Amino acid sequence: MDLRQTAAKMREIIPVKYCGAVIVAAGSATRMGGIDKVMAPLGGEPMVARTIRAFQESPVISEIVVVTRQDLIPRMEELCREFPKVIQVVSGGADRAASVEAGIGALSKKVKLIAIQDGARPLVSQPLIDRTVRAAHSFGAAVPGIPVKDTIKSENKGFVGETIPRQQLRAIQTPQVFDEALIRGALKKANREKLPITDDSSAVELLGMSVKMVEGEEKNIKITTPLDLEIARVFMEAEV
């Protein structure tokens, strides 16, 4: 075993701070062609169940709050009975930031780290959860990212503005994990001042704080269209 492998093994056995997860499954699924993606079937169960199970089975996650639409709360509560780490199902807000705030507010006072996960990323893996939580334990904030493969260009009135070098560009995924006080303060400020944030780490960045990036996973896709659902099924079949 080389030095890098030894260091990785050591990180795996070092205890991390008490971490709670907020799984956000409150979207309207406007691009799913009438399919309710939260409950869309994937591998013989609702898609969101696979997401919750990944966090239920993670040794670095101690409790879970699920955020969903008001109309789905009874069904979600029924589904979550098989996941003992789920302490509450709550209704989402007017936008993602408000939904995340609602979920964070339902976590227990024991939480020191908060992992925020898209409910529509059902293929999130145990190693990805583990390394993101451990990075946040060390650095206060961490997100997974994967290299951008396509050439990226800006648009200006229907024409190409410029070609943006992609070597340093990353597509950001979830879970995004933060020190509890840091993300509470960042989201409170973003919501109060109606700041334009596109993900949870954006709120932290607007405070001038650094966010550690860890290696994401190609299969950790977000289900936003019926095609994405089919791609997820292909990934699952490839694992069998």
Side-chain angles (χ1 to χ4, degrees), residues 23 39 48-49 52 56 64-68 73-89:
I23 297 177
M39 295 295 180
V48 71
I52 299 169
Q56 169 66 40
I64 302 168
V65 168
V66 179
V67 185
T68 194
I73 285 181
R75 291 175 64 191
M76 192 68 74
E77 288 178 335
E78 178 68 25
L79 182 151
C80 287
R81 287 180 181 175
E82 66 175 287
F83 303 119
K85 287 184 184 178
V86 176
I87 62 170
Q88 198 168 343
V89 176

Side-chain angles (χ1 to χ4, degrees), residues 9-184:
K9 287 294 183 183
M10 288 297 294
R11 285 195 296 272
E12 288 175 5
I13 63 175
I14 295 173
V16 297
K17 298 172 185 174
Y18 190 100
C19 185
V22 173
I23 297 177
V24 186
S28 59
T30 55
R31 287 176 284 179
M32 286 296 289
I35 301 172
D36 189 335
K37 71 177 180 181
V38 173
M39 295 295 180
L42 185 62
E45 63 184 344
M47 179 182 68
V48 71
R50 292 187 60 86
T51 308
I52 299 169
R53 183 174 292 106
F55 287 81
Q56 169 66 40
E57 296 178 353
S58 171
V60 296
I61 300 297
S62 298
E63 62 183 65
I64 302 168
V65 168
V66 179
V67 185
T68 194
R69 302 194 313 266
Q70 181 66 40
D71 63 294
L72 279 181
I73 285 181
R75 291 175 64 191
M76 192 68 74
E77 288 178 335
E78 178 68 25
L79 182 151
C80 287
R81 287 180 181 175
E82 66 175 287
F83 303 119
K85 287 184 184 178
V86 176
I87 62 170
Q88 198 168 343
V89 176
V90 299
S91 177
D95 54 26
R96 179 186 169 83
S99 292
V100 171
E101 262 205 308
I104 288 175
L107 290 168
S108 77
K109 296 185 183 300
K110 293 185 288 186
V111 167
K112 302 302 180 185
L113 290 175
I114 298 176
I116 302 169
Q117 169 71 10
D118 294 322
R121 290 187 190 268
L123 303 184
V124 61
S125 73
Q126 294 294 318
L128 180 56
I129 295 170
D130 186 87
R131 66 175 169 266
T132 313
V133 170
R134 291 184 182 278
H137 173 88
S138 298
F139 298 98
V143 299
I146 58 173
V148 174
K149 296 178 179 179
D150 295 329
T151 296
I152 305 297
K153 298 179 183 287
S154 64
E155 185 269 344
N156 183 16
K157 298 180 180 179
F159 292 88
V160 171
E162 63 177 324
T163 300
I164 303 170
R166 67 186 179 189
Q167 288 80 1
Q168 293 182 305
L169 296 179
R170 297 293 183 270
I172 301 303
Q173 304 177 330
T174 64
Q176 299 187 4
V177 189
F178 309 93
D179 176 82
E180 175 265 343
L182 175 60
I183 191 60
R184 283 183 189 272

